Amino acid sequence: MLALLVFLPILAFIAILLGAPARLTAIGASAANLSIGLYAAFSWKYSCWSFSVPVLEKPALNLAFGFPPDGMSVVMVLLTVIVTLAAVLSGKAPEGKEKLYFGSSLLISGGALGAFAATDLFFFYAFHELALIPTFLMIGMLGRGDRKEAAWKITIYLGLGSIILLAGLVWLTNLTGTYDIAKMIAAKDSVDPHSQKSIAALLLVGFGTLVSLFPFHSWAAPAYASAPAPTAMLHAGVLKKFGLYGLLRIAIPLIPEGLNAWLIPLLVLLLGNILWVGLVTISQKRLDLMLGNSSVMHMGYIFLAIAALVAFPENPLAQPAAVLLMFAHGVSIALLFGLADRLERNTGSLDLSDLGGLAKSAPKLAFVFGIAAMASIGLPGLANFSGEVLVFLAAFKTYNGTAGLGPVQIACILSIWGVVISAVYMLRAYRNIFQGPSVKATESAADLTLLDRIPTVLLILALFAVGLYPNLLLNLLK
Amino acid sequence: MPAYYLEVLTVTLGLVLLMAEAFLPTKSKARVGIAAALFLGVILCVTCTATGPTPGNVWPTWIGRFYQFDSLARFYKLFALVTTIFVVLLSVDYRKILVRFTDHPGSENGTGEYYALPVFACAGMMWLASARDLAGAFVALELITITFYILVAYMRRNVGSLEAGVKYLILGALSTGFLVYGIAWMYGTTHTMVCLASHSFIMSGEITNPSGLLFGIALIMVGIGFKIGAVPMQLWIPDVYQGAPTPTTAFLSVGSKAAGFILLIRFIEPLLATEITRGPVLNLLIILAVATLLFGNLAAIPQTNFKRLLAYSSIAHAGFLLLALAAGAAETANSLSSAQVVSFYLATYLIMTLGVFFVLAQVRIQRDGENISDFNGLGKTNPLLALSLTVLLAALAGVPLTAGFIGKFFVFSLAVEAKLWAGVGVAFIAAAAGFYYYLNVVRAMWWGNAGQMAKVNLPVISKLCITLLTISTLVFGIWPQPILALLK
């Protein structure tokens, strides 16, 4: 079953290449995948989902998919299928580029699904790379503004990050002697403390670059700003989470001591994400750059959850917190990028100073954007709130009054300021765009059509469902 | 059929083709090329069924002295045949350029030998894969090299081709000198020529002072280094690759390199089995590997000519192959031997490189240039062709889910297993640089401005070959077992 989920987008890509109608095929495949994904959320514990085909005899290597018992994969798969459908529904391909546009989106989705579902380290890595290539191509060919520069930058950054990551992973497999992730974790005693420290550094930098950990983040904002809408939605929403997922899936079970040695640097860097990039976000003059930076900033909270887990591996809250926030952020940032694209198509500009009073001519857009902005700030009732609160709780889970504040708690207190920062830039952007007197660009701007509302409703539903009843996901993560 | 008939068949095919080309009145010499490819295909099938000596079918002793047939030999014979078939097919499509620079510009009169000569080189490569003694290996190698002297300088009215021919001739002769001198030293210290099969010659030679032997080994490695393009014997590669006709460049970078590597594998196999020579040979190999990786990859970065870039890339890949050999790994229950990894890597390298050369040849013919800028906007004019080239270049760079990644992956595993940390570190830098320069071409294709660039119309043969090679790159990237099965 899981193989079907992974290969459906890839098969649809091939079909598009061979001449099938691009948009319809993409929507059909994504909708089918969404239903399979939802079905998986109920039945993922059954063995019918796992899939394994031997690829190599020497060294033993299987093309294997499955849902490990911790439930992280299921949540990530759900996130992927939801965002994919929204992305292909909300994107509008430039004339004559439908094949590339929808085909690439499907390929990114298939790669992400493969990476999240793989239980074998080789394909875990390989599928992520598969998804990166169409990302680069889409930004370079169909992007806006300074697309070549942005595409080249993301290619170099993520290419180098992947190679550093590969170095760490090869090292790990060499020590444990297998590619099967479950077997690797079983053999974790063979990773000696000295290697742990070096491998942890490689994995933190490698995965960190992929997730735009400060200071390896400077590729992200320009890339998202110039990427076509589905690419930005899929990369910022889904594919970027691969790095965090990898840290949770591989680094934390295998090399806890090695990561612990880097705890303080990690905390400093994640504060860099939240506070430094947060301030950078406030100073942005364009909506797309602002959203790009804000997505970098929010990665800091997830890293905080990971840091809490590194500091106290028994922490029961940290992993669910991280995964919940990954899901929430993925959905909300995808919604924001989708709406920003709509906004640009309707008004012709994303420059905050060019816009104003859009709520009069496009009330529906204003309403939906308001919800997305509130979600991003972390208003109660929306998914991000449950995620962020859980992260903060996880950071304080091990606090005891007599020992005083540990480094994780101090970082947590500082990072709560990030919520204020998000409120400042999001609300200011909202005011600039939707309120005040109408200007020329917004006077006669079109509102959301019925067709536009389907993907937004899908994403908002997900945000509310998880926000009001987080146990939907937390039950999966038990 | 006993395996030694294969070389006889191939040489006969070459001779017949030469005769046919000279005496049969045909307007289009391309038919010679088609015939060559067809008959080589027949020999390919025969190779699959050829057998070594069996109890029921004993080979004459005089053949057994210089000829062997095992799975490695069969693999490299198939390798040579496949390469030659593709090269001949490429030549058929490349004749539009060829006729401009031969004796009778505009007519195909002077181009017939161009399809027949690769067959002789192929015979040399096949023999080399089976050679047991150094003299036989030397003759086979010279058969390859001398054929290449002609092929490189074939466009005799083109200055670049002539220059390449002269450079290849001089440096090739120099390398031959090293090789012969080294063989003489080997023979002098061990009193035998049969150095490629068993290591008994070192044991029985009662060598008390190994320096003479080591000197001979070093000289032979220098000679082989020229063939495979190991630094510092790589000097000829960029100029010769750039000047030679494109099919010949493809043949040089795949066939000639593989021939060098099978000789190197056979040559070091017995040396690694003996304590006296194992250490020095592995040290020499790792030094060569590190130097080759660094030079090949870093020098490739600033290149603007695509053919020259491929020359540096071929040096870079030689570095990875040498690194695998420097690991000196024997086959175990859980991992492949160095020789198997090198052979697998070469097979994937064949697929990717030949595919790229097919595209390059068509761009050369139709856009009249070989610079990276001549690929500008190919994504707009020929999306499918550009997609194929993207896959092939991504495979050369080692992107996962392509055949190139699996090869690199094996090499890294071996190197880590053997704890060659310097080699692993340099190889990572090399792989990172590889990403940069290969994707540079991808960038030109997809993001470059097409300007006045014309659409490239692919002839049937090129179209089929490019499709086949691209699909193989992807299939073997997910399912490499068929190639590995040949190496058992």
Side-chain angles (χ1 to χ4, degrees), chain A residues 97-409:
Chain A
K97 300 281 184 200
E98 284 85 2
K99 276 190 182 182
L100 176 74
Y101 193 83
F102 290 104
S104 299
S105 304
L106 285 173
L107 215 51
I108 298 175
S109 168
L113 284 170
F116 291 138
T119 55
D120 189 288
L121 196 68
F122 183 89
F123 287 97
F124 162 80
Y125 179 81
F127 272 105
H128 172 256
E129 294 289 298
L130 172 73
L132 281 184
I133 295 165
T135 314
F136 303 151
L137 285 183
M138 282 280 271
I139 297 175
M141 292 187 68
L142 302 178
R144 297 171 293 225
D146 203 358
R147 61 193 163 96
K148 287 178 195 168
E149 204 51 46
W152 199 224
K153 201 167 179 183
I154 184 177
T155 311
I156 295 296
Y157 261 89
L158 297 195
L160 278 179
S162 306
I163 285 184
I164 294 171
L165 172 62
L166 183 65
L169 296 181
V170 168
W171 195 340
L172 269 178
T173 54
N174 185 49
L175 288 175
T176 56
T178 168
Y179 296 100
D180 188 310
I181 296 176
K183 282 186 194 151
M184 286 175 80
I185 294 172
K188 69 174 176 180
D189 291 337
S190 53
V191 191
D192 57 288
H194 182 67
S195 326
Q196 279 216 5
K197 201 175 167 192
S198 318
I199 297 175
L202 288 173
L203 292 192
L204 276 177
V205 174
F207 281 130
T209 310
L210 301 180
V211 198
S212 64
L213 175 64
F214 181 85
F216 315 109
H217 68 282
S218 61
W219 56 270
Y224 293 149
S226 64
T231 311
M233 292 168 79
L234 279 166
H235 194 274
V238 178
L239 198 56
K240 196 157 85 163
K241 308 293 183 291
F242 167 82
L244 298 161
Y245 172 82
L247 281 173
L248 289 169
R249 164 77 64 234
I250 290 165
I252 289 192
L254 269 169
I255 46 167
E257 290 153 39
L259 287 174
N260 207 1
W262 298 101
L263 181 63
I264 303 292
L266 176 64
L267 288 170
V268 173
L269 295 187
L270 73 89
L271 283 177
N273 265 62
I274 297 177
L275 299 176
W276 173 275
V277 181
L279 294 175
V280 171
T281 315
I282 291 186
S283 67
Q284 296 303 320
K285 303 270 188 291
R286 284 177 60 84
L287 182 63
D288 48 5
L289 280 173
M290 192 199 90
L291 292 178
N293 276 304
S294 99
S295 101
V296 175
M297 174 198 165
H298 282 117
M299 292 301 110
Y301 296 117
I302 309 175
F303 273 114
L304 182 62
I306 290 176
L309 195 57
V310 168
F312 304 100
E314 275 78 50
N315 196 330
L317 283 181
Q319 178 156 339
V323 180
L324 193 61
L325 190 52
M326 275 151 77
F327 181 88
H329 176 263
V331 175
S332 65
I333 196 74
L335 180 57
L336 281 167
F337 274 122
L339 290 173
D341 174 60
R342 192 96 282 268
L343 208 120
E344 189 184 24
R345 269 190 276 151
N346 290 3
T347 62
S349 171
L350 280 179
D351 210 316
L352 294 178
S353 57
D354 286 354
L355 296 166
L358 190 60
K360 291 193 196 80
S361 52
K364 295 191 191 95
L365 182 59
F367 177 70
V368 178
F369 195 93
I371 294 180
M374 294 305 155
S376 176
I377 296 168
L379 213 68
L382 290 150
N384 301 51
F385 173 76
S386 357
E388 280 171 24
V389 165
L390 261 185
V391 170
F392 297 143
L393 288 180
F396 270 91
K397 182 75 187 169
T398 46
Y399 171 71
N400 67 30
T402 50
L405 294 173
V408 179
Q409 281 92 44

Side-chain angles (χ1 to χ4, degrees), chain B residues 38-322:
Chain B
L38 278 181
F39 284 108
L40 284 172
V42 173
I43 298 178
L44 188 76
C45 299
V46 177
T47 309
C48 294
T49 61
T51 52
T54 50
N57 178 13
V58 185
W59 286 7
T61 25
W62 64 273
I63 288 182
R65 265 204 294 273
F66 72 88
Y67 196 95
Q68 59 183 338
F69 191 69
D70 52 8
S71 66
L72 211 56
R74 186 201 301 273
F75 181 85
Y76 279 92
K77 281 182 207 294
L78 292 174
F79 189 101
L81 285 164
V82 171
T83 313
T84 315
I85 291 173
F86 277 116
V87 165
V88 169
L89 289 175
L90 180 57
S91 311
V92 171
D93 277 350
Y94 195 72
R95 65 182 188 277
K96 286 181 192 146
I97 300 289
L98 213 56
V99 296
R100 297 208 325 236
F101 299 109
T102 43
D103 266 354
H104 310 281
S107 91
E108 288 188 19
N109 275 347
T111 62
E113 297 91 343
Y114 195 70
Y115 310 110
L117 285 172
V119 179
F120 290 103
C122 177
M125 292 169 194
M126 290 167 69
W127 182 7
L128 199 56
S130 287
R132 282 195 67 178
D133 66 341
L134 286 172
F138 177 75
V139 174
L141 202 61
E142 281 310 285
L143 176 56
I144 302 171
T145 312
I146 291 173
T147 316
F148 270 115
Y149 292 148
I150 309 171
L151 287 174
V152 168
Y154 203 86
M155 301 200 292
R156 68 204 92 161
R157 291 180 183 276
N158 179 307
V159 180
S161 180
L162 279 183
E163 185 194 326
V166 172
K167 281 181 177 162
Y168 189 56
L169 180 66
I170 292 173
L171 286 172
L174 184 67
S175 82
T176 305
F178 273 107
L179 201 58
V180 176
Y181 193 40
I183 292 175
W185 272 90
M186 286 283 282
Y187 184 68
T189 48
T190 64
H191 309 292
T192 175
M193 277 287 188
V194 187
C195 296
L196 300 175
S198 72
H199 61 275
S200 56
F201 65 94
I202 301 177
M203 300 299 193
S204 63
E206 288 172 11
I207 297 160
T208 46
N209 179 4
S211 41
L213 177 64
L214 291 178
F215 183 59
I217 292 172
L219 287 173
I220 294 183
M221 300 258 281
V222 169
I224 300 176
F226 271 100
K227 301 293 167 218
I228 61 180
V231 175
M233 285 77 76
Q234 91 298 352
L235 275 175
W236 59 277
I237 287 193
D239 290 340
V240 172
Y241 276 34
Q242 191 180 354
T246 302
T248 303
T249 312
F251 205 20
L252 264 179
S253 83
V254 179
S256 173
K257 192 178 291 283
F261 268 102
I262 177 62
L263 182 57
L264 187 56
I265 290 172
R266 297 276 197 209
F267 179 65
I268 65 170
E269 190 190 335
L271 300 180
L272 293 185
T274 3
E275 276 312 306
I276 313 168
T277 45
R278 183 176 170 90
V281 168
L282 287 183
N283 282 340
L284 188 56
L285 282 173
I286 185 72
I287 292 170
L288 286 179
V290 168
T292 311
L293 278 169
L294 271 183
F295 177 84
N297 284 289
L298 298 184
I301 290 177
Q303 301 305 324
T304 54
N305 182 302
F306 190 36
K307 216 161 152 190
R308 212 173 166 82
L309 173 73
L310 286 174
Y312 283 103
S313 121
S314 96
I315 300 175
H317 285 284
F320 282 104
L321 292 161
L322 282 169

Side-chain angles (χ1 to χ4, degrees), chain A residues 17 55-59 122-123 125-126 129-130 133 136-137 140-141 148 151-152 155-156 160 163 167 174 179, chain B residues 331-336 399-401 405 409-410 416-417 428 432 435-436 443 446-447 478 480-481 484 488:
Chain A
L17 216 57
V55 171
L56 263 185
E57 288 166 12
K58 235 190 244 185
F122 183 89
F123 287 97
Y125 179 81
E129 294 289 298
L130 172 73
I133 295 165
F136 303 151
L137 285 183
M141 292 187 68
K148 287 178 195 168
W152 199 224
T155 311
I156 295 296
L160 278 179
I163 285 184
N174 185 49
Y179 296 100
Chain B
E331 189 176 5
T332 65
N334 197 26
S335 68
L336 300 164
V399 171
L401 296 182
F405 177 72
F409 178 77
F410 284 149
V416 170
E417 198 88 10
F428 266 110
F435 263 89
Y436 179 86
R443 175 166 76 153
W446 294 100
W447 309 337
I478 303 171
Q481 204 60 45
L484 290 169
K488 278 207 180 112

